[in-house]
Amino acid sequence: MNEPQRYIAHFDLDSFFVSVEVLNDPSLKGKAVIVGGSRDRGVVTTCSYEARKFGVHSAMPMKTAMKLCPHAILVRGTRGEYSRYSRWVTEIIAAKAPLFEKASIDEFYIDLTGMDKFFDPLRWTIGLRAEIIEKTKLPISFGLASNKMVAKIATDEAKPNGYLFVQPGMEKQFLAPLPVNKFSGVGEHMFLSLKAMGIHTIRDLSETPVGLLEKKIGKYGVDLWKKSQGIHTSEVHAYHEAKSISTENTFEENIGDTEFLLSELVRMTEKVAYELRQDEKLTGCIAVKIRYPDFETTSRQTTIDYTLRDDELIPVAIDLFHKLYRKGKPVRLLGVRLSELTNHAVQASLFDDAEKKNNLYKAIDDVKNTFGKTLLKKARTVNKNTAGNKEAPHISKGNLHYKKN
Ligand code: TTP
Ligand code: MG
């Protein structure tokens, strides 16, 4: 039997954070707007298309951006709002799409394969886009193609505020005139290496003997050549809010000491947050679970602004714990779970101090990777019970697992 024709739609909100700011302050509409940190030490989180015309882009030092576009309006950003809009768009897509993946906070893949028996994939996708725009008032673009890679590049070409359908069979032709750095993974260095080989466009790449690419660049050269032919087979991974990273501790003796339970809770939250960062994910939901010796089990969860940071997760975990815990009652098991996971392709930070903190976490995580995960802990977790020990003495079981439904 022949494989069914694949149809993959890729959606991505246009200048997402800026678009949200424009909704909150319509006087920003049509202007050069930059969301980012301080003028002297910050970086650009994102900017409007008007500012992009001057060469401003994400991750650029704010100083450079202001030189390129001195009249730009600088906005510091309101992160809670971005999470709220991200969820709203997710809900609209989830209500309609047979199978979708949330690839980042503003980006989605939808697999429509097999649906062409029931409806025209392009018309359906246009309808979904119209619904998102009508409801949220946010501009969004999409690419529709026979695979994820081509669909994503089509979205890029359609932006801002447009869409592009690459008909099955036209993938190679669509890609041919584009520069090679349209492929994700072709950074500055690779771009120059390819240029040195006389390869500028994807057509140049597709016409280069694959053996030569392998010889010069290695296995990645073969991958690039395949991409240049429009070939890409990766699947759309279904998005489940229930997908989670969690850890649980069953205590050897039941614990009624609130201080100790809290220090355990902090330690466990740090542990799952570390795994979250290793996985390059953000979380939008945290849950705490308590089991008493009679096996009564209670848990409580709350949605939060998307984050990867201990200092944002820990206070929420503590708050949930206090709401949940019946004071003085011995506890048999404590658990922490992070869910509503999404990728963060975010290099630059949302805010100045966030960047510093993210770098700090990266530094801590690097040390953890090198010297073992229990070596570095924040002050709170190093109390009389745990100081000097690799694990708290009460803990007999501690397991970290991923739940991928
Ligand atoms: P993108 O989708 O990469 O960028 P964008 O939506 O601003 O613009 P467009 O898609 O039209 O090209 O990222 C989505 C949001 O993620 C972006 O609005 C801000 C945030 N972000 C960062 O915080 N740091 C970054 O380095 C990048 C690239 C994005
Ligand atoms: Mg976007």
Side-chain angles (χ1 to χ4, degrees), residues 136-153:
T136 66
K137 313 286 182 230
L138 291 174
I140 189 164
S141 303
F142 76 76
L144 178 64
S146 62
N147 65 56
K148 283 171 91 173
M149 174 202 59
V150 176
K152 186 174 165 73
I153 296 175

Side-chain angles (χ1 to χ4, degrees), residues 12-16 106 159:
D12 190 305
L13 289 156
D14 297 325
S15 55
F16 176 36
D106 83 329
K159 275 173 177 289

Side-chain angles (χ1 to χ4, degrees), residues 241-260:
E241 281 175 8
K243 219 185 228 185
S244 64
I245 297 174
S246 63
T247 182
E248 288 186 354
N249 273 326
T250 305
F251 303 114
E252 210 164 71
E253 313 158 18
N254 300 323
I255 312 281
D257 174 352
T258 310
E259 265 310 296
F260 179 73

